[in-house]
Each structure stands twice: as C-alpha cells, then as structure tokens.
Amino acid sequence: MIKWEDLNWYQKAAFWCVIGIVGWFAPEIALLFHFGGVEVVFAFVAYYYFPILRQIQAYIVKAKEAAALAYLTYHTSASAKPKVFFVQAAFCSLAFVLTGSVAFAGMFFMPSMVLNGVLT
C-alpha cells in the first residue's frame, strides 16, 4: 500500500480534488478525515462508490453484447453478401443523386433486412 508521504505533489493534489468533489455529495468525508486520516477517507470513498462502478461495468457489458449482436446480425444478413449489397448500393446512390433525399435513398436498403430469408 502506498503511504501518503510517498506520493508526489500532483498525486496529492489530485487526491485532494477528488476528496473535495466527493465531499459535496458525501459530507461525512470530513468527519472521517478528522478522526481517521487520509487512508480511512480513501478506503471509504472506494467502498462508497463501488456499487456505482459495478453499475457502469454492467452497462459496458450490455453495450458490448448489443454491439456483438448487431455485428452478427449484419454479418449473416443479405446486405453483407456482395451481389445483394452492390445492387442495393447502386440503387441507393442513384436515388440519392436523383432526389437528394437521404431518407428516400435509405429505403433501398430495407428489402435486404425485411426479406432476409428470401434474398439468401
């Protein structure tokens, strides 16, 4: 464990900034610092914010799973096949050049998603 005396000045400054910000949300930090010292405050902050960190980790895991599912879905769809993609991209580009509408041009990508089983 690193002792307070072994820290550099910028590490100490960063710690004081964190303690100051945490003190706004958890005023009991001042009492802990008064009676226990810096080590007790650091341990309390780590213990106090552990559930928030776990929640953030759960969101990250869900985001990774959603990204993997989206990748797998697209990879197995008809849009990922070169012959289907080329035809759809050609029609989409032509529709965008003629109309100037991104929404209308994007509609040419819909058949591969809707008719995925028929196109493969």
Side-chain angles (χ1 to χ4, degrees):
M1 181 174 186
I2 299 175
K3 296 188 186 239
W4 180 255
E5 293 82 22
D6 296 338
L7 296 177
N8 296 333
W9 68 270
Y10 57 86
Q11 290 172 329
K12 289 180 182 180
F15 181 76
W16 283 114
C17 289
V18 168
I19 292 302
I21 292 169
V22 170
W24 286 339
F25 301 107
E28 60 271 11
I29 293 288
L31 185 64
L32 284 173
F33 181 72
H34 181 70
F35 289 120
V38 174
E39 289 83 8
V40 174
V41 170
F42 184 74
F44 177 76
V45 168
Y47 181 72
Y48 189 74
Y49 286 103
F50 188 71
I52 295 171
L53 295 176
R54 295 300 254 169
Q55 190 70 26
I56 292 171
Q57 287 175 344
Y59 287 139
I60 291 172
V61 168
K62 285 182 183 178
K64 285 181 180 179
E65 289 174 357
L69 179 64
Y71 173 76
L72 182 66
T73 302
Y74 179 75
H75 187 64
T76 58
S77 73
S79 292
K81 299 194 180 358
K83 62 179 183 176
V84 175
F85 180 76
F86 177 73
V87 172
Q88 287 178 335
F91 279 121
C92 181
S93 300
L94 182 66
F96 181 69
V97 167
L98 292 177
T99 64
S101 172
V102 175
F104 181 69
M107 294 302 284
F108 284 99
F109 281 117
M110 285 297 158
S112 69
M113 289 185 268
V114 174
L115 303 171
N116 191 15
V118 178
L119 291 174
T120 56

